[in-house]
Amino acid sequence: MVLSFGVIGTSWITDEWIAGARATGSWQLTAVYSRQKETAEKYAAKYNVSSVHTSIESLANDSVQVIYVASPNSLHYEQTKIILGHKKHVILEKPATATVAEFEELFSLASANGVYLIEAYRHIQEANFKILKQNISQLGPIYGANLTYASFSSRYTNVLNGETPNIFNLDFAGGSLVDIGVYPITFAVSLFGRPKASTYQAFKCRTGADGGGFILLQYDTFSVSINQSKCYNSSAPSEIYSENGTLTVNATMNIDSLKWFNPRTKETKDWAGPKEELKLKEEAAEFARIIQENDKKAAKDLEDLSWTVLQITTELRRQNNIFYPADKV
């Protein structure tokens, strides 16, 4: 069964989702939404789509089965609530919501209406991440890990020039933590489970949003250090340290190298297989499978992971007095 879908958002991430989804053979784009009719029509024409909408209600009443939501963070909750109310499945770009309360309300609504709501964490659907997860027991007891995702954003130049782009705007639930910091956090939680404690030393931009910083996730017998930022670059790999050696991963997403060094034998093995070139194809394939096969367990596992990550980031924001309008509702 091919799933018909519509999109909210006309940025590069939506283009990547459409490319990945189409490549699976399980999705067909049939509707486009944008607040501006001209923008919607231009974007729809690019993909030879005739169904164009300028209101969320109109899109939700379309015959599509699934809607992919890639709007600014602060709009996710209201838009998704309307869509779920019309009993449509939703693929929701991260971060799913600004607050835990919004998250829990949306997932309750999805369950009540018999549809799926899935937060689009693509990196944990990559084949090489799954290889890592399947083989991590070979490392033996874990001693710790350093995870890195620091990539300078051109939008930070806008901040330095006195502007307030959405991604660094608290009114739009922005900041580095929820934009890219969630990737290494999700990476750690997926591999090691929920930490018993977490701390964040953030530096703030002129806008009041965090530009990045260092996160420490504390487990019973080890800690995970995370370096994440949208204000500087790092070429450092990520590493997991264990009794049986060190695993070096080129990155926490787009993984193409999983090198396990055994200090006793001095041997290095690379667990990695080929990397999918279409970055969102693997998640699109898995999300289609969940919906088509009605795999409630897989969907609940993803929901639980998303809920845990949101709880962590909410606490990390609180520690740094970073609050969104939705926090005050």
Side-chain angles (χ1 to χ4, degrees):
M1 174 182 69
V2 175
L3 297 168
S4 60
F5 74 100
V7 296
I8 296 177
T10 56
S11 68
W12 64 270
I13 190 65
T14 307
D15 286 325
E16 290 205 351
W17 166 260
I18 292 170
R22 283 180 157 183
T24 68
S26 296
W27 299 89
Q28 181 180 5
L29 177 65
T30 59
V32 168
Y33 162 87
S34 179
R35 289 175 299 171
Q36 302 298 322
K37 185 176 181 181
E38 182 179 355
T39 301
E41 289 177 341
K42 183 178 179 180
Y43 197 78
K46 181 166 71 170
Y47 292 104
N48 196 29
V49 170
S50 58
S51 182
V52 172
H53 303 270
T54 56
S55 79
I56 300 299
E57 284 282 356
S58 174
L59 175 64
N61 278 308
D62 196 288
S63 60
V64 295
Q65 297 166 282
V66 188
I67 296 176
Y68 171 76
V69 179
S71 52
N73 301 345
S74 59
L75 303 180
H76 288 183
Y77 167 71
E78 291 293 346
Q79 292 176 339
T80 301
K81 185 177 179 179
I82 292 170
I83 297 163
L84 294 174
H86 286 75
K87 298 185 178 182
K88 309 287 187 184
H89 305 291
V90 175
I91 307 301
L92 182 55
E93 264 304 330
K94 56 80 196 160
T97 60
T99 69
V100 173
E102 289 179 342
F103 181 96
E104 292 175 344
E105 181 182 345
L106 291 182
F107 274 89
S108 292
L109 180 58
S111 177
N113 284 338
V115 292
Y116 286 111
L117 170 58
I118 302 173
E119 186 174 19
Y121 278 123
R122 68 180 180 88
H123 61 315
I124 59 172
Q125 301 301 337
E126 293 179 18
N128 281 322
F129 179 80
K130 292 181 177 181
I131 290 172
L132 167 57
K133 192 169 183 178
Q134 290 165 1
N135 289 278
I136 197 168
S137 62
Q138 294 186 43
L139 298 179
I142 302 298
Y143 293 158
N146 282 319
L147 306 179
T148 302
Y149 188 0
S151 179
F152 180 83
S153 169
S154 60
R155 301 297 177 86
Y156 187 55
T157 300
N158 297 119
V159 172
L160 296 177
N161 289 335
E163 302 170 31
T164 307
N166 291 352
I167 201 60
F168 289 107
N169 190 335
L170 294 180
D171 288 340
F172 283 89
S176 183
L177 174 65
V178 299
D179 190 56
I180 64 174
V182 290
Y183 285 109
I185 293 173
T186 306
F187 186 100
V189 173
S190 184
L191 290 178
F192 308 125
R194 185 188 185 114
K196 65 178 184 179
S198 56
T199 56
Y200 180 33
Q201 184 66 50
F203 63 86
K204 294 183 181 179
C205 303
R206 177 192 53 78
T207 65
D210 68 302
F214 288 81
I215 298 164
L216 188 68
L217 306 180
Q218 297 171 278
Y219 292 84
D220 287 336
T221 59
F222 64 92
S223 295
V224 176
S225 176
I226 295 173
N227 171 16
Q228 64 84 26
S229 178
K230 292 180 69 67
C231 298
Y232 58 80
N233 286 325
S234 174
S235 58
S238 294
E239 294 182 321
I240 301 172
Y241 314 108
S242 73
E243 186 172 282
N244 293 333
T246 298
L247 183 71
T248 302
V249 187
N250 67 291
T252 52
M253 60 190 298
N254 299 324
I255 299 172
D256 58 23
S257 176
L258 294 166
K259 293 184 178 179
W260 173 29
F261 174 71
N262 186 324
R264 297 171 183 82
T265 65
K266 309 300 181 185
E267 294 179 336
T268 298
K269 295 181 180 179
D270 194 342
W271 293 343
K275 183 180 74 172
E276 173 56 54
E277 293 306 314
L278 288 174
K279 296 177 181 179
L280 306 192
K281 181 180 177 181
E282 290 158 313
E283 69 166 3
E286 175 60 6
F287 299 162
R289 186 197 66 77
I290 288 172
I291 295 170
Q292 292 165 338
E293 298 179 10
N294 195 26
D295 191 341
K296 294 181 180 179
K297 181 183 183 304
K300 188 61 170 63
D301 288 344
L302 292 176
E303 177 188 341
D304 290 345
L305 176 61
S306 291
W307 182 74
T308 299
V309 171
L310 180 56
Q311 286 194 315
I312 292 169
T313 57
T314 299
E315 167 58 19
L316 298 181
R317 286 197 296 111
R318 185 198 64 79
Q319 292 173 12
N320 289 273
N321 293 312
I322 298 170
F323 298 107
Y324 303 140
D327 290 310
K328 303 167 187 175
V329 174

